[in-house]
Amino acid sequence: MARFTIALTWPPPSIARAASGAEASYTRKLLDKGAEHCAKKFGEEAVETVIAAVENDRDHLIAESGDSAVSPAGALKSRGVKFEDVEAALAQRTSMSGLEEKAARKRDQ
């Protein structure tokens, strides 16, 4: 199977900055509030991206997509999940169509 990579810097620089403490890092503040808060922030960014797409606001969609692209980092880090695990899951999906992948999930349940 071909290696799957995502075309962005991972982990995002905000995760490295979080090591410097909450006074210098918004991500550190999120992490300090716990995994549930990180997950809610990820959801908030996703909803804002959807709203921008529905409203056909290109600039807002681009900005919110950037937030949505990096916001999983906090949720993943807060639960000790490595992005390599996400890449492996994505790599499995590239070997079949979306319809095949959904059908395989139903068989596995």
Side-chain angles (χ1 to χ4, degrees):
M1 183 180 337
R3 175 153 160 71
F4 180 89
T5 59
I6 192 159
L8 60 86
T9 302
W10 201 269
S14 59
I15 294 295
R17 284 193 299 271
S20 64
E23 65 282 347
S25 169
Y26 178 71
T27 300
R28 177 79 264 153
K29 289 180 182 184
L30 292 176
L31 291 167
D32 287 347
K33 291 181 180 180
E36 294 81 5
H37 190 79
C38 292
K40 287 177 185 177
K41 185 62 179 172
F42 178 25
E44 174 189 318
E45 297 300 348
V47 169
E48 289 173 356
T49 302
V50 170
I51 291 169
V54 168
E55 292 176 346
N56 197 24
D57 183 335
R58 184 178 191 279
D59 291 339
H60 192 208
L61 177 58
I62 291 168
E64 293 300 339
S65 293
D67 291 344
S68 293
V70 298
S71 62
L76 293 170
K77 183 165 181 62
S78 70
R79 292 295 189 197
V81 176
K82 294 182 178 169
F83 194 70
E84 291 81 8
D85 298 330
V86 177
E87 283 183 312
L90 292 170
Q92 288 179 329
R93 291 181 179 193
T94 62
S95 66
M96 62 181 82
S97 75
L99 294 173
E100 292 169 323
E101 190 271 331
K102 285 186 182 290
R105 275 196 254 164
K106 288 180 183 174
R107 284 193 305 266
D108 292 340
Q109 294 178 353

